[in-house]
Amino acid sequence: MESLLLWLQLAGMTLIILVSSKYLVKSADIIADKTGMGRSFVGVLLLATATSLPELATGVSSIMLVGQPDLAAGDAFGSNIFNLLIIGIIDLAWKNGPILGYVEKDSLVVAFAGIAVIGIATLALLFYWLGIFAVNTYVSPMSILLLLVFFSIMYMMFRNDKQNREDLNDTEESIQPDSPGLSNASFMYMCSAGLMVLASVFLATIGDSIAETMGWHASFVGTQFLAFSTSLPELATSFAALRIGAPELAISNLLGSNIFNMGFVLFIDELAYTSGPIWSSVSHVHIFTGGIAILMTIVVSISISHNLRKQSSHSTVGTSGPGRTWTLESLALILLYVVASISIFSLS
């Protein structure tokens, strides 16, 4: 009975996150439109930030409330591979050809940036596990590097979006930032984000209780169950983007969320953990998860690059045409996720 109650609580918090994410998507889209900024930058920034709030709140709560840094690290790294799995899932749902054939060069840049930050985080785990460059300070130099790379990526995206907006200034009308609806959208954004954070705090305590009751390792619970629950906003956002015919928004948000998870969430987790560098206090299983996330992102990058070359040579977008139900990249992403899940359970 106790375990059933815990699973029901997990389902309840997951439902709150899922419903809140719907309003986050709507409010972020309105804010992007009313401020007059480009949807590429504002959409990625607001959506990636908002949909990654559960990972942030769950990570900090796991450390400060239940003393489980493994749950925090597992949630961050596990969310990466789940976000990449979502790309494989929505590729199966998109019936107009390979979904990665409908994105622009900006998404490829975001994918490369994701490889960089996931790589740095994975190297940090490896270094501290092997005792290489393992500086025993309150904030690890690797964490500082992650944060600097994260802000550099955000600045690069901002500059790119600013240049695109300057090119379109002559054809677009100016939108007043204080137009009616912006304040309402901002209020809805903050309320939805607040609900997601609150639900995520409870997720951390529930996850710790499930791990103890079932006799599972915290790294497995964090990588699988918490990562699944806190990645539901990305899943909901992606299918919402497909419904309005905006696959690039879905892909950019998923890849951008991984950058936020590694570059910002893990840094905040490091600050919350006061017993030294978090890298030396979590399971080395996350090194494997980070490696799988890099491989999955490489699959995405290769597919985007291949389709961009086809577009530049005036070829038809996609390889199988409308009506096909699978692509090699979708199968590869799903297979890699399955391999990661089985391996993490075994290693834990």
Side-chain angles (χ1 to χ4, degrees):
M1 179 61 71
E2 181 183 357
S3 60
L4 176 61
L5 182 60
L6 288 173
W7 287 108
L8 289 175
Q9 290 175 349
L10 179 68
M13 295 304 104
T14 298
L15 182 62
I16 292 176
I17 292 174
L18 187 60
V19 173
S20 298
S21 69
K22 175 182 177 182
Y23 293 96
L24 274 170
V25 174
K26 290 183 178 180
S27 59
D29 184 61
I30 294 172
I31 292 171
D33 178 59
K34 295 297 183 180
T35 56
M37 298 183 69
R39 292 181 183 274
S40 176
F41 173 70
V42 176
V44 169
L45 181 64
L46 286 181
L47 289 182
T49 301
T51 56
S52 292
L53 281 175
E55 284 86 354
L56 177 61
T58 300
V60 173
S61 300
S62 297
I63 294 170
M64 301 189 70
L65 297 183
V66 298
Q68 285 282 12
D70 238 358
L71 281 176
D75 186 34
F77 280 95
S79 292
N80 288 345
I81 60 174
F82 191 81
N83 288 341
L84 292 161
L85 171 67
I86 293 174
I87 294 180
I89 293 174
I90 63 176
D91 184 53
L92 296 179
W94 183 255
K95 301 302 181 183
N96 299 319
I99 195 169
L100 295 176
Y102 287 80
V103 300
E104 302 297 333
K105 187 171 66 174
D106 288 348
S107 295
L108 182 60
V109 174
V110 177
F112 286 152
I115 292 174
V117 291
I118 296 172
I120 294 172
T122 305
L123 280 177
L125 288 170
L126 182 62
F127 287 164
Y128 276 84
W129 181 46
L130 297 177
I132 303 173
F133 305 123
V135 181
N136 190 24
T137 56
Y138 174 60
V139 178
S140 166
M142 297 298 290
S143 297
I144 296 175
L145 176 61
L146 269 176
L147 187 67
L148 291 176
V149 171
F150 170 75
F151 282 120
S152 296
I153 292 170
M154 291 298 103
Y155 178 71
M156 177 185 65
M157 292 175 61
F158 172 77
R159 286 292 301 271
N160 183 64
D161 181 75
K162 182 179 179 181
Q163 182 62 48
N164 291 338
R165 285 186 286 114
E166 288 176 352
D167 294 340
L168 294 174
N169 271 346
D170 294 335
T171 58
E172 291 185 342
E173 295 182 1
S174 176
I175 302 175
Q176 295 298 327
D178 58 347
S179 58
L182 178 59
S183 57
N184 291 336
S186 300
F187 180 73
M188 181 168 64
Y189 179 91
M190 290 186 290
C191 288
S192 301
L195 279 175
M196 285 174 52
V197 170
L198 185 62
S200 298
V201 171
F202 285 104
L203 268 181
T205 58
I206 294 169
D208 181 63
S209 298
I210 288 176
E212 183 177 348
T213 302
M214 304 298 293
W216 291 340
H217 197 278
S219 59
F220 172 73
V221 175
T223 304
Q224 296 300 309
F225 297 107
L226 290 191
F228 170 76
S229 299
T230 56
S231 290
L232 280 176
E234 284 88 349
L235 182 62
T237 300
S238 298
F239 277 98
L242 294 192
R243 285 194 294 270
I244 63 174
E248 185 170 8
L249 178 61
I251 301 300
S252 297
N253 176 47
L254 291 167
L255 295 175
S257 293
N258 285 359
I259 295 173
F260 192 87
N261 289 341
M262 296 290 97
F264 189 77
V265 171
L266 283 178
F267 179 80
I268 299 301
D269 289 344
E270 171 90 310
L271 294 181
Y273 188 68
T274 58
S275 300
I278 193 172
W279 312 105
S280 59
S281 303
V282 299
S283 173
H284 62 272
V285 170
H286 305 306
I287 299 174
F288 176 79
T289 311
I292 291 293
I294 292 173
L295 284 177
M296 294 174 76
T297 312
I298 289 174
V299 169
V300 172
S301 302
I302 292 174
S303 180
I304 294 176
S305 180
H306 173 70
N307 284 289
L308 286 174
R309 286 197 299 270
K310 290 180 64 177
Q311 292 177 42
S312 65
S313 61
H314 306 287
S315 297
T316 303
V317 175
T319 57
S320 303
R324 102 283 177 265
T325 57
W326 60 272
T327 62
L328 288 176
E329 53 266 30
S330 66
L331 292 183
L333 291 171
I334 293 171
L335 178 61
L336 284 170
Y337 181 83
V338 172
V339 169
S341 299
I342 296 174
S343 300
I344 292 166
F345 181 78
S346 301
L347 293 172
S348 298

